[in-house]
Amino acid sequence: MTHLTTHVLDAATGTPAAGVTVTLAHLDGATIDSASTDADGRLALGPDRLADGDYALTFGTGAYFRARGVASFHPVATVAFTVAGEGHLHVPLLLSPFAYSTYRGS
């Protein structure tokens, strides 16, 4: 069972991306939780523990940039991942108006 956190950084400004809406769902589409990143771009989502399985985090990147008057390409960034017995899973997102990247954090 896994605890899930994320951190969104705005690479265009070099600052945390506050106010990004993030939705956690089963890969089949059933929503588990949704909330927005804090002033430091951080967020913990879901129950205290996620069961093993396939999930997706969907980041509201288009709305984030529109609120700042910045044109962007991706309306959302969806990161799919598999939980397999980990105790803590961190899924960060490095964001710019026309690209994003992610990795398995610690």
Side-chain angles (χ1 to χ4, degrees):
M1 304 276 269
T2 300
H3 176 71
L4 177 69
T5 58
T6 188
H7 187 202
V8 183
L9 296 173
D10 185 332
T13 62
T15 60
V20 176
T21 300
V22 183
T23 301
L24 170 64
H26 292 280
L27 206 52
D28 67 9
T31 298
I32 298 168
D33 197 5
S34 186
S36 295
T37 56
D38 65 13
D40 195 35
R42 296 182 183 276
L43 180 62
L45 278 172
D48 288 338
R49 298 284 180 224
L50 288 174
D52 289 357
D54 297 326
Y55 297 89
L57 284 174
T58 300
F59 298 84
T61 55
Y64 168 78
F65 284 116
R66 274 192 305 280
R68 285 149 186 77
V70 175
S72 65
F73 182 70
H74 300 283
V76 298
T78 299
V79 178
F81 57 94
T82 300
V83 171
E86 296 90 349
H88 176 250
L89 186 60
H90 185 66
V91 183
L93 186 74
L94 183 59
L95 180 61
S96 77
F98 301 101
Y100 63 90
S101 66
T102 187
Y103 57 94
R104 180 181 172 158
S106 59

